[in-house]
C-alpha cells in the first residue's frame, strides 16, 4: 500500500491556510494567543493591564445589565484575513455571549484594547484598522504608555471616521449610545 504525498508545488491537498491557522490557535494548550496580520502572538497581560480592564468592566457593568449585554475577551474572527483576535474586552448582546465559536467585530457594541509595552503599535494601528474594516461600531483604545484614551466610532473601509481624543488619563471619556455614560479614566 502506497501513501501519496503532495510534492513540491502540489497544494491540492493542503487545507485552506487561513482556516488551518485559526483552527490551530484555538486548540493550543497553554497561554492565550491571537493572530495579528498572520503572526501568532501570545497574549500575557500584566496586572496593570488587567486592572484597567477591570475598572472599565466595573463602570459599564450596571448599564450592560440594563441593556442585556455581556462583556468578555472571547474570540473575534476577521474572515478572509490572517487575523483572529482576543480583545481585552468586547461587549455583545447576551444571546451572542452564549456562542461557542468566534464572533465577528460587527456583532460587538464596544471593543476595548489596552496597550502593553510589547504590543502598543498593534493596538494603535493594526487592530484599529481591522476593527473598522470589519464594522466594530466603537473601539476604545486605552494607551497605557501614552497615558491617553481615544474613542473611535463610525467604522468604514478606510478607518474610523469619528475620533474623539486622545484624552489624557483623568479626563472622562464619553461612551456613545447605547451606553451613554462617562468613563472615569483617572485610575488607569
Amino acid at each position: 500500500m502506497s501513501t501519496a504525498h503532495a510534492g513540491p508545488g502540489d497544494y491540492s491537498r493542503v487545507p485552506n491556510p487561513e482556516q488551518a491557522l485559526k483552527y490551530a490557535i484555538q486548540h493550543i494548550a497553554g497561554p492565550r494567543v491571537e493572530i495579528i496580520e498572520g503572526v501568532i502572538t501570545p497574549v500575557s497581560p500584566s496586572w496593570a493591564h488587567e486592572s484597567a480592564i477591570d475598572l472599565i468592566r466595573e463602570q459599564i457593568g450596571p448599564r450592560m445589565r440594563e441593556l442585556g449585554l455581556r462583556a468578555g475577551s472571547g474570540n473575534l474572527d476577521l474572515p478572509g484575513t490572517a487575523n483572529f483576535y482576543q480583545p481585552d474586552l468586547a461587549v455583545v448582546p447576551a444571546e451572542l455571549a452564549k456562542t461557542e465559536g468566534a464572533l465577528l467585530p460587527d456583532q460587538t457594541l464596544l471593543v476595548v484594547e489596552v496597550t502593553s509595552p510589547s504590543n502598543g503599535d498593534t493596538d494603535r494601528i493594526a487592530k484599529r484598522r481591522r476593527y473598522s474594516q470589519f464594522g466594530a461600531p466603537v473601539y476604545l483604545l486605552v494607551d497605557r504608555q501614552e497615558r491617553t484614551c481615544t474613542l473611535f466610532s463610525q467604522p468604514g473601509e478606510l478607518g474610523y471616521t469619528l475620533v474623539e481624543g486622545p484624552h489624557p488619563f483623568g479626563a472622562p471619556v464619553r461612551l456613545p449610545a447605547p451606553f451613554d455614560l462617562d468613563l472615569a479614566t483617572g485610575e488607569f
Side-chain angles (χ1 to χ4, degrees):
M1 176 175 170
S2 97
T3 306
H5 295 284
D10 177 10
Y11 298 102
S12 61
R13 295 171 43 169
V14 176
N16 174 310
E18 175 192 344
Q19 292 172 343
L21 189 58
K22 291 175 181 180
Y23 176 85
I25 70 156
Q26 292 177 73
H27 294 86
I28 288 179
R32 292 175 21 194
V33 296
E34 54 186 359
I35 306 170
I36 301 168
E37 302 302 324
V39 177
I40 297 174
T41 307
V43 179
S44 57
S46 67
W47 278 103
H49 183 279
E50 289 296 302
S51 176
I53 293 299
D54 191 50
L55 289 165
I56 293 169
R57 278 182 193 260
E58 284 178 2
Q59 292 181 67
I60 66 174
R63 185 70 177 134
M64 284 181 9
R65 284 186 289 285
E66 288 174 16
L67 297 168
L69 305 174
R70 297 290 181 265
S73 60
N75 297 332
L76 292 179
D77 191 7
L78 288 76
T81 71
N83 291 286
F84 196 85
Y85 296 161
Q86 281 198 338
D88 292 319
L89 185 71
V91 178
V92 300
E95 282 306 307
L96 290 178
K98 297 175 184 176
T99 302
E100 288 296 329
L103 296 176
L104 303 175
D106 67 359
Q107 293 176 298
T108 68
L109 284 91
L110 170 67
V111 174
V112 180
E113 294 286 1
V114 177
T115 64
S116 294
S118 64
N119 74 348
D121 284 342
T122 298
D123 293 341
R124 290 180 199 107
I125 300 165
K127 285 188 173 184
R128 181 185 76 207
R129 179 174 39 112
R130 292 297 189 175
Y131 283 138
S132 179
Q133 288 173 339
F134 283 82
V138 179
Y139 174 48
L140 176 63
L141 175 66
V142 177
D143 193 323
R144 290 187 320 109
Q145 288 66 53
E146 297 292 324
R147 301 193 48 75
T148 62
C149 292
T150 307
L151 189 72
F152 300 91
S153 59
Q154 299 179 6
E157 214 24 62
L158 298 177
Y160 285 100
T161 59
L162 184 59
V163 178
E164 298 174 35
H167 302 286
F169 284 1
V173 173
R174 182 77 181 166
L175 295 182
F179 302 98
D180 295 315
L181 62 84
D182 290 328
L183 190 65
T185 65
E187 293 185 55
F188 290 173

